[in-house]
Amino acid sequence: MAGNSFGQLFRITTFGESHGEAIGVIIDGCPAQLDVDLDYIQGELDKRKPGQSKITTQRKESDTVKILSGVFEGKTTGTPIAMLIPNEDQRSKDYTHNVDVFRPSHADYTYQTKYGIRDHRGGGRSSARETAARVAAGALAKLLLKTQGIEIVAHVSSVGRINSPNITITTADEFIAEREKNIVRCADPATAEEMIAYIDSIRKQGDTVGGKVSCHIINCPVGLGEPVFDKLHADLGKAMLSINAVHGFEYGSGFAGSEMRGSEHNDIFLPKSDESGVKTITNFSGGIQGGISNGMPIEFKVAFKPVATIMHAQATIDSKGNAAEISGKGRHDPCVVPRAVPIVEAMAALVLADHWLRNRNSILPK
Amino acid sequence: MAGNSFGQLFRITTFGESHGEAIGVIIDGCPAQLDVDLDYIQGELDKRKPGQSKITTQRKESDTVKILSGVFEGKTTGTPIAMLIPNEDQRSKDYTHNVDVFRPSHADYTYQTKYGIRDHRGGGRSSARETAARVAAGALAKLLLKTQGIEIVAHVSSVGRINSPNITITTADEFIAEREKNIVRCADPATAEEMIAYIDSIRKQGDTVGGKVSCHIINCPVGLGEPVFDKLHADLGKAMLSINAVHGFEYGSGFAGSEMRGSEHNDIFLPKSDESGVKTITNFSGGIQGGISNGMPIEFKVAFKPVATIMHAQATIDSKGNAAEISGKGRHDPCVVPRAVPIVEAMAALVLADHWLRNRNSILPK
Amino acid sequence: MAGNSFGQLFRITTFGESHGEAIGVIIDGCPAQLDVDLDYIQGELDKRKPGQSKITTQRKESDTVKILSGVFEGKTTGTPIAMLIPNEDQRSKDYTHNVDVFRPSHADYTYQTKYGIRDHRGGGRSSARETAARVAAGALAKLLLKTQGIEIVAHVSSVGRINSPNITITTADEFIAEREKNIVRCADPATAEEMIAYIDSIRKQGDTVGGKVSCHIINCPVGLGEPVFDKLHADLGKAMLSINAVHGFEYGSGFAGSEMRGSEHNDIFLPKSDESGVKTITNFSGGIQGGISNGMPIEFKVAFKPVATIMHAQATIDSKGNAAEISGKGRHDPCVVPRAVPIVEAMAALVLADHWLRNRNSILPK
Amino acid sequence: MAGNSFGQLFRITTFGESHGEAIGVIIDGCPAQLDVDLDYIQGELDKRKPGQSKITTQRKESDTVKILSGVFEGKTTGTPIAMLIPNEDQRSKDYTHNVDVFRPSHADYTYQTKYGIRDHRGGGRSSARETAARVAAGALAKLLLKTQGIEIVAHVSSVGRINSPNITITTADEFIAEREKNIVRCADPATAEEMIAYIDSIRKQGDTVGGKVSCHIINCPVGLGEPVFDKLHADLGKAMLSINAVHGFEYGSGFAGSEMRGSEHNDIFLPKSDESGVKTITNFSGGIQGGISNGMPIEFKVAFKPVATIMHAQATIDSKGNAAEISGKGRHDPCVVPRAVPIVEAMAALVLADHWLRNRNSILPK
């Protein structure tokens, strides 16, 4: 109810502040007998961790995850899985300047007003550090989905006004391999180079820039998504919008679809020639019809605003409402999207795992 | 769990198929002693009902709502409020043609596959008729919010590529009065005329077109929204994406914000000169920071795809996967956005009422 | 959240006041393709309805149920099932005497204080009439469970100090047939006669008396119940305690078990000689170990206090706290347990159906 | 959904196995600005910890709790509070004997069958060790309730057939002081002595015995409890029945009430002479009417079965269903009730804190 849980059957609850002792997550509802590949989970966290490259924050944290419960002899047991990620690099003094001053376009003012108290160190609970717990839980969800052949892949499709061309995905592994060849995590090498140069110049100006992440879900079976409120894209949308800095979500034809006509937008079914399931000529539906997956690739896009912490002096107010000035200190990302890719994938995996479990009761078994 | 409930504290559950006996909704969690203005609720339903004008479907239903429980002598009693809307105009025979054929970009195929059975008449549960129940419940939520001064207003900001200029909202009542002067529900009269002419031409071609609805929430107090998953904009996003035909959601700077720099995107706080609360110079945050309302107007936009039912012959498949042809029959909307305005407002009201109740426990009372 | 819903996956929400227009229930989460036997559902309601015999209230209501949604051509479709039971015999004037007076041991005072308003007619929402909606929903749950061979049977095991001997159950049908031979619904004919005579004498005195209902669940598979909070007996206990007038719940050895030693209480496993599952010599565990069904019959007992409405003058207070006098009017039950039998079964069925669905995700499918 | 969470607004999720690295709990929904007295929380855990006296298990664990998040400068911040209790004394080898053998009346068989895998060491997740996490969370709930003057006190009212007389409670502190004077936690000194001698003799025989805990909630305001399913006593009942070894729950008149007549059972209201609220002459309602607290003391009783682990050889079966023999090893409680007292109080506190928060939205604020 207080908003720190997500999912219905595959349900996670996260905890922890950026400069407290640790952050973590409990996963309740993972079926028993899933093989838990801890290296895979750590690998996902490594894609999100700070200090990866010159275009991310230079803060250093290993983000090493530890499983406290729910796994026995390498397998899930059906009991809650607790994962802990200790906070290592807690330069709290970087944040003494914002005890009494509200940083513009941050959550300082709203947390302080809502709760009358806040852990001001590094954003506390509102810090994007919380998303490490999501990535850890999402990695487990991915392992669950992989047993069913479902794969989730995302990449950076835009940085500022630089846009990647559409990528044809052959296999998930190949797509990821291509994407991981560059530090901006764009699957198109030429665009990636351009993006990196641009972010680097933005960084040198002490400024930040926004971007977009595109996500594809491959081999999703037909039937996932629960009408009428828990439509698959509605839950994907909520999942994405709950990520720090996200300001927009669209799937399939998205915003562009609102400018189209029905006669061009309708996805025409192809006659089935074999048992491989139904296909449509176009995929403006983004793999989801009536809120339920239709077997085509699920496709959506997530828009991130520019990081609010910039290295310039900005006018602001203090906790009494008086004029003040603030300037970013510490080590921050000039652009959030390269590190957001594993977060988008993780949140998508959590939605899919949940809906896959939910859909198992759609029809009365014989 | 099966997806027909929405909200946590102000919680609704809808039921009913488009061609069954009735649709309806139960609202659980509305505080006692709220004055229930049934005329207001019916008035909201009238804005959604079919047959309003030449640019909506010509189907006729009065959509008369009846309250079965939870209201005593004009006030809520704290017990569940059941509202029933009988289905009147059930020309089921209009739908005999799609028993065994899947309409393109509809939910026929996904429902049939997910459940192995479906009420094929008029889309059954997947019909947008279900949203009438949402509008009825949302009207009650609006009455609750009005006791706190919170107002929600939406209008059609785009039809196809025709876009309304931004509207400065003085008061909710004036905005609504202006919007209701035309049948497309755009608050800018000149744009409205253009939109109406365009929809009418589309209708004559037997085609359909998409559009966008913009929504503004005025006088929202600071503090609504629950970190980290139930951020206010995440719940608004899910609410909007759960409406039939919606393919995109953005708030504040939205997708355009992803192209901006931090130095231009940050909303600078103005020093408080009085008790009226904090203000920012710009509102790229859309009234929400860190997932929590900051007291500025909440602003978001919703993209609707074109209606899938068109009056042209289209290739499709039957339930065995064989090639078939289908052509829209019956009475359908050429463009859904004029009737979507009250639905967007209703869903927003449900989110706000829920979060307003949730926020009442944020701080321990003395 | 407001307490009118029950269950997680097989979830019901009830609504309605005793003297409003109707009561009803929405069932969300029933899998598709279940055959809906409306006669069976009505038959269950008939066992609860008033006016059945000389030892129940003489109020007359047919309690005819109508299905508004979720069923198509005799089968569930996976969409929410709404059931409506109109209120027929609304002698509201029987209740004008308690507008301003609080009936002792009723819910008048607590509802009035909690909500500041109440529908005083016949107890309004606090009336046991609400349980008719539970019986209707429970009947559907029973139909679901029957497809898996699971049967739920209850009977009146005590009225006041008159106790039935333990009954050996051969089949559910035989047990029910025996129980239905008498109006008190005790499966032991000799005890039944005694109980009936006793209730009749109590009724003539204008008084009421309590009693107990024993319930048996047969053919329950191993594995139902979710540790650690949603133990099967914990959810059964909550279900029973939520029935009007229930003051106690015990399963297996129950309260008597608290006086036993471990060496006599432990249920010793019998070696398996075939595939029919594990058996224990005794069943002090009541078919549940560690909160999970173990395949033995599930057995529990429910204690009902005497009905609070008696035909004697009683001292009480009015809404201002002043001394007043009240005397039962209208038509009331001298003993609630004969009509409580189908309610106990219904609530047990709702718990079992829910846990049966939940358990289907315990182990990762291959 | 998987059963490891409890509560709606004050919601806890526990994790951990008895012989894993740690157990713990996340509390989500505690309002901000509550003073967190860590010594008080640790003190409650100390009442539950093993090795307290000669009549409890001799296992030694300090059960030291650590708060990882949600508390800043001694106060709650409104964010999730994670508490961790490391496992210290993990003599796993004590449990190697039950890898392949099912202990009678334990959860070995049901866990193994439900999940196909189990952490067999010391019962794993089914161990009563999990209740330490509940006590920690319940202590925080008590601190919240204390700010409202609500006090919860329990004591051992029966061991085997030895029953304490009813205790008149003057203040919570005095009651607890009296109870803590003896190692069995019975507030009646003479009965306590008898109980201790009895448990000691049972222990020497290598046997175990059951007992009962009585609980009283003092200064509970009118209005807590949500009709119709989440009645206050229904949620208390579920809370108690979810504690390991509990087989029965009753409140107010309980099972004895089922033998009474309405004319003797009804609680007659006393005219109000002042502002101190309504009182009733008797309290057979146990402080709850219609599922809602009425301002009188809330009173209930919980029945615990004898501990299943005894030091005798017992017949049983192995995982293949073959006959086997087992004899308790390790260090176990001869009677669970002395250590159950803080658990009963903790679970009651969690229910009350949750319902106190829920009730704050019963009436629309002006």
Side-chain angles (χ1 to χ4, degrees):
Chain A
M1 201 59 34
N4 296 288
S5 296
F6 186 81
Q8 303 291 326
L9 292 190
F10 194 97
R11 183 169 179 86
I12 69 164
T13 303
T14 70
F15 64 88
E17 280 79 38
S18 63
H19 286 66
E21 191 159 346
I23 61 169
V25 61
I26 299 181
I27 302 148
D28 201 17
C30 184
Q33 300 188 21
L34 175 66
D35 289 311
V36 178
D37 181 343
L38 194 56
D39 290 341
Y40 178 78
I41 297 171
Q42 187 61 53
E44 291 298 289
L45 279 165
D46 292 347
K47 290 178 190 141
R48 196 216 71 97
K49 75 174 175 189
Q52 294 177 46
S53 74
K54 64 175 179 177
I55 60 167
T56 67
T57 170
Q58 296 308 304
R59 219 164 44 236
K60 291 279 177 199
E61 301 232 26
S62 73
D63 282 356
T64 308
V65 68
K66 192 159 138 178
I67 296 182
L68 297 180
S69 67
V71 177
F72 187 62
E73 298 176 348
K75 285 181 188 293
T76 58
T77 61
T79 66
I81 299 158
M83 295 180 175
L84 202 70
I85 304 170
N87 291 329
E88 293 167 352
D89 185 13
Q90 308 164 18
R91 284 203 209 163
S92 297
K93 64 180 181 307
D94 279 356
Y95 299 96
T96 51
H97 61 296
N98 70 319
V99 180
D100 276 325
V101 174
F102 299 135
R103 293 170 299 167
S105 287
H106 272 279
D108 299 343
Y109 169 66
T110 52
Y111 269 67
Q112 186 66 40
T113 308
K114 182 181 182 71
Y115 299 115
I117 182 176
R118 78 183 203 279
D119 183 344
H120 56 78
R121 299 167 301 167
R125 182 69 182 153
S126 74
S127 165
R129 176 148 187 73
E130 182 267 339
T131 58
R134 305 183 183 202
V135 170
L140 194 81
K142 280 185 184 175
L143 289 173
L144 176 67
L145 295 169
K146 279 174 191 290
T147 68
Q148 308 301 314
I150 306 169
E151 298 278 358
I152 297 171
V153 293
H155 82 133
V156 170
S157 52
S158 308
V159 168
R161 288 195 183 82
I162 306 168
N163 299 302
S164 165
N166 283 336
I167 308 287
T168 306
I169 300 176
T170 49
T171 71
D173 286 348
E174 279 178 32
F175 182 89
I176 291 170
E178 194 61 39
R179 176 194 79 187
E180 292 296 317
K181 283 183 184 156
N182 62 70
I183 57 176
V184 77
R185 292 207 168 83
C186 172
D188 183 67
T191 314
E193 245 176 89
E194 207 183 332
M195 288 171 170
I196 294 166
Y198 180 58
I199 296 177
D200 207 33
S201 76
I202 287 284
R203 184 184 61 79
K204 285 172 184 156
Q205 297 166 44
D207 211 341
T208 61
V209 69
K212 301 189 198 89
V213 173
S214 292
C215 187
H216 306 262
I217 303 171
I218 311 170
N219 291 329
C220 181
V222 188
L224 274 53
E226 300 295 318
V228 293
F229 294 107
D230 298 353
K231 293 186 162 92
L232 189 57
H233 58 268
D235 276 354
L236 284 168
K238 170 167 175 166
M240 297 307 139
L241 288 157
S242 78
I243 300 172
N244 305 46
V246 172
H247 269 226
F249 171 86
E250 61 179 9
Y251 82 102
S253 61
F255 274 84
S258 74
E259 302 185 349
M260 292 170 71
R261 293 181 173 214
S263 53
E264 48 178 340
H265 191 277
N266 283 352
D267 293 320
I268 303 304
F269 290 110
L270 284 171
K272 267 202 234 187
S273 49
D274 57 19
E275 286 307 293
S276 67
V278 151
K279 293 222 170 1
T280 56
I281 300 178
T282 49
N283 188 17
F284 291 117
S285 300
I288 303 172
Q289 291 178 326
I292 301 170
S293 62
N294 70 355
M296 292 289 289
I298 295 172
E299 298 179 338
F300 61 86
K301 198 170 280 187
V302 188
F304 291 79
K305 69 161 188 169
V307 171
T309 301
I310 57 176
M311 298 298 127
H312 302 169
Q314 296 176 91
T316 189
I317 56 171
D318 65 18
S319 61
K320 296 193 171 52
N322 299 320
E325 201 187 73
I326 197 161
S327 178
K329 284 177 194 156
R331 302 146 296 170
H332 299 277
D333 289 279
C335 181
V336 83
V337 283
R339 292 176 59 206
V341 166
I343 308 171
V344 165
E345 287 184 1
M347 291 306 299
L350 290 168
V351 171
L352 268 281
D354 191 37
H355 276 283
W356 181 72
L357 290 172
R358 291 169 75 171
N359 187 49
R360 296 192 66 238
N361 279 321
S362 290
I363 299 181
L364 187 69
K366 303 296 171 192
Chain B
M1 201 59 31
N4 295 288
S5 296
F6 185 81
Q8 303 291 325
L9 293 190
F10 194 97
R11 184 170 178 84
I12 70 165
T13 303
T14 71
F15 64 88
E17 280 80 37
S18 62
H19 287 65
E21 191 159 347
I23 61 168
V25 61
I26 299 182
I27 301 149
D28 201 18
C30 184
Q33 301 187 20
L34 175 66
D35 289 311
V36 178
D37 180 344
L38 194 55
D39 290 342
Y40 177 78
I41 298 171
Q42 187 61 52
E44 291 299 288
L45 280 164
D46 291 348
K47 291 178 189 143
R48 197 216 71 95
K49 75 174 178 189
Q52 294 176 46
S53 73
K54 66 176 179 178
I55 60 169
T56 67
T57 171
Q58 296 308 302
R59 219 164 45 240
K60 291 281 178 196
E61 301 232 27
S62 72
D63 281 355
T64 307
V65 67
K66 188 160 139 179
I67 296 181
L68 297 180
S69 67
V71 177
F72 187 62
E73 298 177 346
K75 283 180 190 295
T76 58
T77 61
T79 66
I81 299 158
M83 294 181 176
L84 202 71
I85 304 169
N87 291 328
E88 292 167 353
D89 185 13
Q90 308 163 20
R91 284 202 208 164
S92 298
K93 64 181 180 306
D94 278 355
Y95 298 96
T96 50
H97 61 296
N98 69 320
V99 180
D100 276 324
V101 174
F102 298 136
R103 294 170 296 167
S105 286
H106 272 277
D108 299 344
Y109 169 67
T110 53
Y111 268 68
Q112 185 67 39
T113 308
K114 182 180 182 72
Y115 299 115
I117 182 176
R118 80 181 200 279
D119 182 344
H120 55 78
R121 299 168 302 166
R125 182 70 181 151
S126 75
S127 165
R129 175 149 187 75
E130 182 268 338
T131 58
R134 305 182 183 204
V135 170
L140 194 79
K142 280 186 185 176
L143 290 173
L144 175 66
L145 294 169
K146 277 173 192 289
T147 69
Q148 308 301 314
I150 307 170
E151 298 277 358
I152 297 171
V153 293
H155 82 133
V156 170
S157 51
S158 307
V159 169
R161 287 191 186 84
I162 305 167
N163 299 302
S164 164
N166 283 336
I167 308 287
T168 305
I169 300 177
T170 50
T171 72
D173 285 350
E174 278 178 32
F175 182 89
I176 291 171
E178 194 61 38
R179 176 193 82 190
E180 291 298 315
K181 283 183 185 156
N182 61 71
I183 56 176
V184 77
R185 290 207 169 83
C186 172
D188 183 68
T191 315
E193 245 176 89
E194 207 183 332
M195 288 171 169
I196 293 165
Y198 181 59
I199 296 176
D200 207 35
S201 76
I202 287 284
R203 184 182 63 79
K204 284 174 184 153
Q205 296 166 44
D207 210 341
T208 61
V209 69
K212 301 190 197 90
V213 173
S214 293
C215 186
H216 307 262
I217 303 172
I218 310 170
N219 292 328
C220 181
V222 188
L224 273 55
E226 301 295 317
V228 292
F229 294 108
D230 297 352
K231 292 185 164 91
L232 189 57
H233 57 268
D235 277 355
L236 284 168
K238 171 166 175 166
M240 297 308 138
L241 288 156
S242 78
I243 300 172
N244 306 45
V246 172
H247 269 227
F249 170 86
E250 62 179 9
Y251 81 102
S253 62
F255 274 84
S258 74
E259 302 185 350
M260 292 170 72
R261 293 180 172 214
S263 54
E264 50 179 338
H265 191 277
N266 282 352
D267 293 321
I268 302 304
F269 289 110
L270 284 171
K272 264 201 234 187
S273 48
D274 57 18
E275 287 307 292
S276 66
V278 152
K279 294 222 167 4
T280 56
I281 300 178
T282 49
N283 189 16
F284 291 118
S285 300
I288 303 172
Q289 292 179 326
I292 300 169
S293 61
N294 70 355
M296 291 289 290
I298 295 173
E299 299 180 338
F300 61 86
K301 201 171 276 188
V302 188
F304 290 79
K305 68 162 189 168
V307 171
T309 302
I310 57 176
M311 298 299 128
H312 303 167
Q314 296 176 93
T316 189
I317 56 171
D318 65 18
S319 60
K320 296 192 173 52
N322 298 321
E325 201 186 72
I326 196 163
S327 178
K329 284 177 194 156
R331 301 147 296 169
H332 298 277
D333 288 279
C335 180
V336 83
V337 283
R339 290 176 59 207
V341 167
I343 308 171
V344 165
E345 287 184 0
M347 290 308 297
L350 291 168
V351 172
L352 267 280
D354 192 35
H355 275 283
W356 181 74
L357 291 172
R358 291 169 76 172
N359 187 49
R360 294 190 69 239
N361 279 319
S362 290
I363 299 181
L364 186 68
K366 303 298 171 190
Chain C
M1 201 59 32
N4 296 288
S5 296
F6 186 81
Q8 303 291 324
L9 293 189
F10 193 97
R11 184 169 178 87
I12 69 165
T13 303
T14 71
F15 64 88
E17 281 80 37
S18 63
H19 287 66
E21 191 159 347
I23 60 169
V25 61
I26 299 181
I27 302 149
D28 200 18
C30 185
Q33 301 189 18
L34 174 66
D35 289 311
V36 178
D37 180 343
L38 193 56
D39 290 341
Y40 178 78
I41 297 172
Q42 187 61 53
E44 291 298 288
L45 279 166
D46 291 348
K47 290 178 190 143
R48 198 217 70 97
K49 76 174 177 189
Q52 295 176 45
S53 75
K54 64 175 179 178
I55 61 167
T56 67
T57 171
Q58 296 309 301
R59 219 165 45 239
K60 292 280 178 200
E61 301 232 27
S62 72
D63 281 356
T64 307
V65 68
K66 190 159 139 177
I67 297 181
L68 297 181
S69 67
V71 177
F72 187 62
E73 297 177 349
K75 285 181 190 295
T76 57
T77 61
T79 66
I81 300 158
M83 295 182 176
L84 201 71
I85 305 171
N87 290 328
E88 293 167 352
D89 185 13
Q90 308 164 18
R91 284 203 208 163
S92 297
K93 66 180 178 305
D94 279 355
Y95 298 96
T96 51
H97 62 298
N98 69 321
V99 179
D100 275 324
V101 175
F102 298 135
R103 293 170 298 167
S105 286
H106 271 277
D108 299 343
Y109 170 67
T110 52
Y111 268 69
Q112 184 66 40
T113 308
K114 182 180 182 72
Y115 299 114
I117 183 177
R118 78 183 202 278
D119 182 345
H120 56 77
R121 299 167 302 165
R125 182 71 181 150
S126 75
S127 165
R129 176 150 188 73
E130 181 268 338
T131 58
R134 304 182 183 202
V135 170
L140 193 80
K142 281 185 183 177
L143 290 173
L144 175 66
L145 295 169
K146 278 173 193 289
T147 67
Q148 308 301 313
I150 306 170
E151 297 276 359
I152 297 171
V153 293
H155 82 132
V156 171
S157 52
S158 307
V159 169
R161 289 192 184 83
I162 305 168
N163 299 301
S164 165
N166 283 335
I167 308 288
T168 306
I169 300 176
T170 49
T171 70
D173 286 349
E174 279 178 33
F175 182 88
I176 291 171
E178 193 61 40
R179 177 194 80 188
E180 291 297 317
K181 282 182 184 157
N182 61 70
I183 56 176
V184 78
R185 290 207 170 82
C186 172
D188 183 67
T191 313
E193 244 176 87
E194 209 183 331
M195 287 171 169
I196 293 165
Y198 180 59
I199 296 176
D200 207 34
S201 76
I202 287 285
R203 183 184 62 79
K204 284 172 185 156
Q205 296 166 44
D207 211 342
T208 62
V209 70
K212 301 189 196 89
V213 172
S214 292
C215 186
H216 307 261
I217 303 171
I218 310 170
N219 292 329
C220 180
V222 188
L224 274 52
E226 299 296 318
V228 293
F229 294 108
D230 297 352
K231 293 186 163 92
L232 188 56
H233 57 269
D235 276 355
L236 284 168
K238 171 165 175 168
M240 298 306 140
L241 288 156
S242 77
I243 301 172
N244 306 46
V246 172
H247 269 226
F249 170 86
E250 60 180 12
Y251 82 102
S253 61
F255 274 84
S258 75
E259 302 185 349
M260 291 170 72
R261 292 179 173 215
S263 54
E264 49 178 339
H265 190 277
N266 281 352
D267 293 321
I268 304 303
F269 289 109
L270 284 172
K272 266 202 234 185
S273 49
D274 57 18
E275 286 308 291
S276 67
V278 152
K279 292 223 168 5
T280 57
I281 300 177
T282 49
N283 188 17
F284 292 118
S285 301
I288 302 172
Q289 291 178 326
I292 300 169
S293 61
N294 69 356
M296 292 287 291
I298 295 172
E299 297 179 339
F300 62 85
K301 199 171 278 187
V302 188
F304 290 79
K305 68 161 189 168
V307 170
T309 302
I310 58 176
M311 298 297 127
H312 301 167
Q314 296 176 92
T316 189
I317 55 170
D318 64 19
S319 60
K320 296 192 172 54
N322 299 320
E325 202 186 72
I326 197 162
S327 180
K329 283 178 194 154
R331 300 146 297 169
H332 298 277
D333 289 279
C335 181
V336 82
V337 283
R339 291 176 58 205
V341 165
I343 307 170
V344 165
E345 288 183 0
M347 290 306 299
L350 291 168
V351 171
L352 267 281
D354 191 36
H355 276 284
W356 181 73
L357 290 173
R358 290 169 74 171
N359 187 49
R360 295 191 67 237
N361 279 321
S362 290
I363 299 180
L364 186 69
K366 304 296 169 192
Chain D
M1 201 59 30
N4 295 288
S5 296
F6 186 81
Q8 303 291 326
L9 292 190
F10 194 96
R11 184 169 178 86
I12 69 166
T13 303
T14 71
F15 64 88
E17 281 80 37
S18 64
H19 287 65
E21 190 159 347
I23 60 169
V25 60
I26 299 181
I27 301 149
D28 201 18
C30 185
Q33 302 189 18
L34 175 65
D35 289 311
V36 178
D37 181 344
L38 194 56
D39 290 341
Y40 177 78
I41 298 171
Q42 187 60 53
E44 291 298 290
L45 280 165
D46 291 347
K47 291 178 188 143
R48 197 217 71 97
K49 75 174 175 188
Q52 295 177 46
S53 74
K54 65 176 179 178
I55 59 168
T56 66
T57 171
Q58 296 308 301
R59 219 165 43 239
K60 293 279 178 198
E61 302 232 25
S62 72
D63 282 357
T64 306
V65 68
K66 192 161 139 177
I67 297 181
L68 297 180
S69 66
V71 177
F72 186 63
E73 298 177 346
K75 285 182 188 293
T76 57
T77 61
T79 66
I81 299 158
M83 294 180 176
L84 201 71
I85 305 170
N87 291 328
E88 292 167 353
D89 185 13
Q90 309 165 17
R91 286 203 209 164
S92 297
K93 65 180 180 306
D94 280 355
Y95 299 95
T96 51
H97 61 295
N98 69 320
V99 180
D100 276 326
V101 175
F102 298 135
R103 293 170 298 167
S105 287
H106 271 279
D108 300 343
Y109 170 66
T110 51
Y111 268 69
Q112 186 65 41
T113 308
K114 182 180 183 72
Y115 300 114
I117 182 176
R118 79 182 201 281
D119 182 345
H120 56 78
R121 300 167 302 166
R125 182 71 182 150
S126 75
S127 166
R129 177 150 187 73
E130 181 267 338
T131 57
R134 305 183 183 202
V135 170
L140 194 80
K142 280 184 185 178
L143 290 173
L144 175 67
L145 295 170
K146 278 173 193 291
T147 67
Q148 308 300 314
I150 306 170
E151 297 277 358
I152 297 171
V153 293
H155 82 132
V156 171
S157 52
S158 307
V159 169
R161 287 192 184 83
I162 305 169
N163 298 302
S164 165
N166 283 334
I167 307 287
T168 306
I169 299 176
T170 48
T171 71
D173 286 348
E174 279 178 33
F175 182 89
I176 291 170
E178 193 60 38
R179 178 194 80 188
E180 291 298 315
K181 284 184 184 155
N182 63 70
I183 57 177
V184 78
R185 290 205 171 84
C186 171
D188 183 68
T191 314
E193 247 177 86
E194 209 184 331
M195 288 170 169
I196 293 165
Y198 180 58
I199 296 176
D200 207 34
S201 75
I202 288 283
R203 182 184 62 79
K204 285 172 183 155
Q205 295 167 44
D207 211 342
T208 61
V209 69
K212 300 187 197 93
V213 173
S214 293
C215 187
H216 306 262
I217 302 172
I218 310 171
N219 291 328
C220 181
V222 188
L224 274 54
E226 299 296 317
V228 295
F229 294 107
D230 297 353
K231 293 185 163 95
L232 189 58
H233 58 269
D235 276 355
L236 285 168
K238 170 164 175 168
M240 298 306 139
L241 288 155
S242 78
I243 301 171
N244 305 46
V246 172
H247 269 225
F249 171 86
E250 62 179 11
Y251 82 103
S253 62
F255 274 84
S258 74
E259 302 185 348
M260 291 170 72
R261 291 180 172 213
S263 53
E264 48 178 342
H265 192 276
N266 282 352
D267 293 321
I268 302 303
F269 289 109
L270 283 172
K272 267 203 232 184
S273 49
D274 58 19
E275 287 307 292
S276 66
V278 151
K279 294 223 167 3
T280 57
I281 300 178
T282 49
N283 188 16
F284 291 117
S285 301
I288 303 172
Q289 291 179 325
I292 300 169
S293 62
N294 69 356
M296 292 288 289
I298 295 172
E299 298 179 339
F300 61 86
K301 201 171 276 187
V302 188
F304 291 80
K305 70 161 187 168
V307 171
T309 302
I310 57 176
M311 298 298 127
H312 302 169
Q314 296 176 91
T316 189
I317 56 171
D318 64 18
S319 61
K320 298 195 168 51
N322 298 321
E325 202 186 71
I326 197 164
S327 178
K329 283 178 195 155
R331 301 147 297 169
H332 298 277
D333 289 280
C335 181
V336 82
V337 283
R339 292 176 59 206
V341 166
I343 308 170
V344 164
E345 287 183 1
M347 291 305 299
L350 291 168
V351 171
L352 267 280
D354 191 36
H355 276 284
W356 181 73
L357 290 173
R358 291 168 75 171
N359 186 50
R360 295 191 68 237
N361 279 321
S362 290
I363 298 181
L364 185 69
K366 303 297 170 191

